[in-house]
């Protein structure tokens, strides 16, 4: 059975660069590198969560806040990012929210919701994960209540779309927080991830069945929808529920342009998920054979290489380069599993060359180990 990277490795990788973490994880868990890579990127996204909220809802939109509120937020930002002092930053965030309430700002505007989310992100940044969860749980509960009351009223269609999308994003983020090593409540994490995905898909289906009202505005983008699905797929993969992860990875791929390096990573994830899965038996349909699963895994690994070969700079990035080395190595592993030693040797040689070209030491070492195995088997 193929190994996978433990959650702890992924969480700790946030303290170092994505490149260094990716190489370390492949060195320790070769088969799981593609999965680990995408989880590292998800972790990096969590680390950039605060920056995104600041730029989208606060820094770029300070002119949308009344000056008394903007003044407090400037101080909160200063103590969050420059002269870092979490206690003072939290105090100024709270003051900003209090002033906003006093002067009658809409509590469900992007600006106020963004401020609350930024406060939760600050708590995560300083390792106060339970406080971050508590804040987001309150914000989500408030959003749900608004959606059930004001959001159903005529004239609030656009606001409903916006608040519903925030509810999805918060649910997915809560899934990430509950799953991390500090909270480690995988059942609650799964519940939140499923809730976020179900809300997103339900709204999408409603629009497809009933049509979109002019005032509603667009729903979540393909990238946003794919991100929610991918988070749930990663969760299932960590639980060794590969048969649940694989269709979600496939659905994510259907939402992405096939000329992106992230599609290369997803194809590698799908490949590894297929190679590892043991579907639960059902009375109606027998599970696919092991050879069939490995064959499908090989097909997706080969497709990832084909897609990556057509991606040129500036669109091409390190996801593509390292993804190619990993896919090539795993093709060697699949060939070795099938007893095709000549093909395994060829793939390991190729993976070694690719890894050397990009300075991927872990890839070189693993390829050399593979070459050593095949040489020993023929010796």
């Amino acid at each position: 059975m193929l190994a996978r990277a433990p959650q702890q490795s992924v969480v700790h990788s946030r303290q170092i660069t994505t490149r260094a973490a990716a190489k370390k994880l492949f060195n320790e868990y070769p088969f799981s590198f593609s999965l680990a890579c995408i989880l590292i990127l998800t972790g990096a996204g969590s680390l950039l969560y605060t920056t995104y909220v600041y730029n989208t809802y606060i820094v770029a939109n300070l002119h949308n806040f009344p000056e008394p509120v903007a003044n407090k937020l400037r101080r909160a930002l200063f103590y969050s990012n420059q002269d870092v002092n979490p206690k003072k930053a939290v105090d100024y965030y709270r003051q900003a929210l209090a002033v906003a309430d006093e002067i009658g700002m809409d509590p469900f505007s992007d600006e106020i919701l963004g401020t609350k989310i930024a406060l939760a992100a600050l708590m995560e940044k300083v390792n106060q994960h339970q406080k971050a969860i508590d804040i987001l749980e309150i914000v989500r509960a408030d959003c749900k209540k608004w959606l059930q009351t004001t959001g159903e009223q005529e004239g609030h269609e656009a606001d409903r779309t916006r608040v519903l999308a925030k509810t999805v994003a918060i649910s997915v983020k809560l899934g990430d927080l509950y799953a991390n090593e500090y909270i480690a409540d995988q059942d609650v994490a799964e519940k939140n991830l499923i809730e976020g995905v179900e809300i997103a898909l339900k709204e999408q289906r409603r629009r497809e069945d009933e049509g979109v009202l002019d005032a509603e505005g667009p729903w979540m983008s393909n990238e946003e929808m794919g991100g929610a699905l991918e988070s749930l797929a990663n969760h299932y993969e960590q639980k060794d529920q590969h048969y649940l992860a694989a269709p979600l990875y496939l659905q994510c791929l259907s939402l992405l342009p096939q000329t992106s390096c992230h599609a290369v990573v997803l194809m590698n994830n799908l490949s590894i998920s297929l190679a590892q899965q043991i579907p639960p038996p059902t009375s109606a349909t027998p599970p696919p054979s092991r050879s069939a699963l490995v064959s499908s895994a090989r097909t997706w690994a080969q497709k990832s290489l084909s897609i990556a070969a057509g991606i040129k700079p500036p669109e091409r990035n390190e996801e593509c380069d390292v993804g190619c080395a990993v896919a090539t190595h795993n093709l060697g592993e699949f060939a070795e599993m099938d007893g095709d030693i000549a093909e395994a040797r060829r793939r390991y040689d190729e993976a070694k060359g690719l890894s050397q070209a990009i300075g991927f030491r872990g890839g070189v070492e693993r390829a050399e180990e593979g070459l050593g195995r095949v040489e020993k088997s023929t010796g």
Side-chain angles (χ1 to χ4, degrees):
M1 178 179 290
L2 303 183
R4 65 175 176 84
Q7 173 70 8
Q8 184 174 359
S9 296
V10 175
V11 173
H12 285 173
S13 72
R14 299 180 186 180
Q15 305 304 317
I16 53 180
T17 66
T18 297
R19 179 184 178 89
K23 291 182 177 182
K24 178 178 183 294
L25 280 168
F26 180 67
N27 185 51
E28 295 176 357
Y29 308 98
F31 281 113
S32 65
F33 173 77
S34 297
L35 170 63
C37 178
I38 199 165
L39 290 177
I40 289 170
L41 294 174
T42 301
S46 297
L47 206 58
L48 295 174
Y49 189 58
T50 305
T51 303
Y52 171 78
V53 173
Y54 288 160
N55 290 337
T56 304
Y57 299 121
I58 301 179
V59 175
N61 293 308
L62 275 174
H63 63 277
N64 290 338
F65 290 89
E67 184 54 32
V69 181
N71 182 53
K72 301 295 185 183
L73 287 175
R74 290 189 191 99
R75 292 176 179 272
L77 290 168
F78 176 78
Y79 287 117
S80 296
N81 297 323
Q82 297 179 16
D83 183 11
V84 179
N85 187 320
K87 185 176 180 181
K88 288 186 177 181
V90 169
D91 186 50
Y92 279 113
Y93 273 126
R94 287 176 173 165
Q95 289 183 40
L97 290 169
V99 173
D101 185 58
E102 289 174 6
I103 63 180
M105 285 190 72
D106 180 0
F108 295 96
S109 65
D110 277 345
E111 290 75 22
I112 298 303
L113 288 176
T115 300
K116 293 175 180 178
I117 292 170
L119 177 57
L122 174 62
M123 293 295 95
E124 181 187 8
K125 183 179 178 180
V126 298
N127 292 325
Q128 295 291 323
H129 298 272
Q130 187 59 55
K131 289 183 179 179
I133 287 172
D134 292 343
I135 293 168
L136 291 179
E137 288 280 17
I138 291 171
V139 175
R140 184 175 60 173
D142 289 344
C143 286
K144 287 181 177 180
K145 184 176 180 180
W146 184 93
L147 287 165
Q148 293 168 358
T149 54
T150 308
E152 295 296 324
Q153 298 174 9
E154 186 176 354
H156 290 278
E157 291 84 0
D159 287 336
R160 176 187 174 277
T161 297
R162 183 175 50 77
V163 175
L164 192 62
K166 291 288 190 305
T167 305
V168 173
I170 291 170
S171 294
V172 172
K173 182 59 190 178
L174 281 167
D176 173 63
L177 288 170
Y178 277 114
N180 71 27
E181 65 173 335
Y182 304 100
I183 306 299
D185 192 333
Q186 301 304 322
D187 290 339
V188 178
E190 183 173 326
K191 178 182 176 182
N192 279 277
L193 290 169
I194 290 174
E195 179 174 341
V197 168
E198 286 182 342
I199 292 172
L201 293 176
K202 181 180 179 181
E203 176 64 11
Q204 186 179 56
R205 284 193 296 268
R206 184 194 69 79
R207 288 167 172 246
E208 291 171 352
D209 294 341
E210 301 176 9
V212 181
L213 300 176
D214 291 338
E216 283 187 314
W219 181 226
M220 295 169 63
S221 67
N222 284 350
E223 184 179 5
E224 291 167 335
M225 186 72 74
L229 293 167
E230 191 176 338
S231 294
L232 182 56
N234 291 339
H235 177 80
Y236 285 139
E237 193 72 12
Q238 288 175 270
K239 292 180 67 178
D240 290 329
Q241 293 178 311
H242 311 291
Y243 65 96
L244 294 176
L248 289 169
Y249 285 133
L250 190 60
Q251 194 169 355
C252 290
L253 278 168
S254 72
L255 298 172
L256 276 180
Q258 297 298 293
T259 55
S260 72
C261 286
H262 196 61
V264 172
V265 171
L266 283 172
M267 288 175 190
N268 269 298
N269 276 296
L270 177 57
S271 170
I272 290 173
S273 184
L274 288 168
Q276 294 185 95
Q277 67 179 274
I278 304 175
T282 64
S283 56
T285 307
S289 66
R290 181 68 178 158
S291 60
L293 289 169
V294 173
S295 177
S296 294
R298 181 185 295 108
T299 298
W300 280 106
Q302 290 169 336
K303 187 172 182 179
S304 75
L305 289 174
S306 176
I307 295 296
I311 303 175
K312 308 299 181 185
E315 287 76 19
R316 187 180 181 92
N317 57 34
E318 196 174 39
E319 267 190 314
C320 276
D321 295 335
V322 178
C324 284
V326 172
T328 303
H329 178 94
N330 285 342
L331 284 170
E333 298 276 3
F334 297 151
E336 191 176 353
M337 290 164 65
D338 285 344
D340 189 343
I341 301 304
E343 174 67 5
R345 180 186 293 110
R346 184 179 75 83
R347 289 295 187 178
Y348 289 143
D349 268 329
E350 186 180 356
K352 180 179 177 180
L354 289 171
S355 297
Q356 287 174 329
I358 60 175
F360 187 4
R361 184 183 298 275
V364 173
E365 292 173 356
R366 284 300 177 182
E368 288 177 344
E369 289 178 9
L371 287 168
R373 284 198 307 273
V374 297
E375 290 301 327
K376 186 178 294 185
S377 69
T378 57

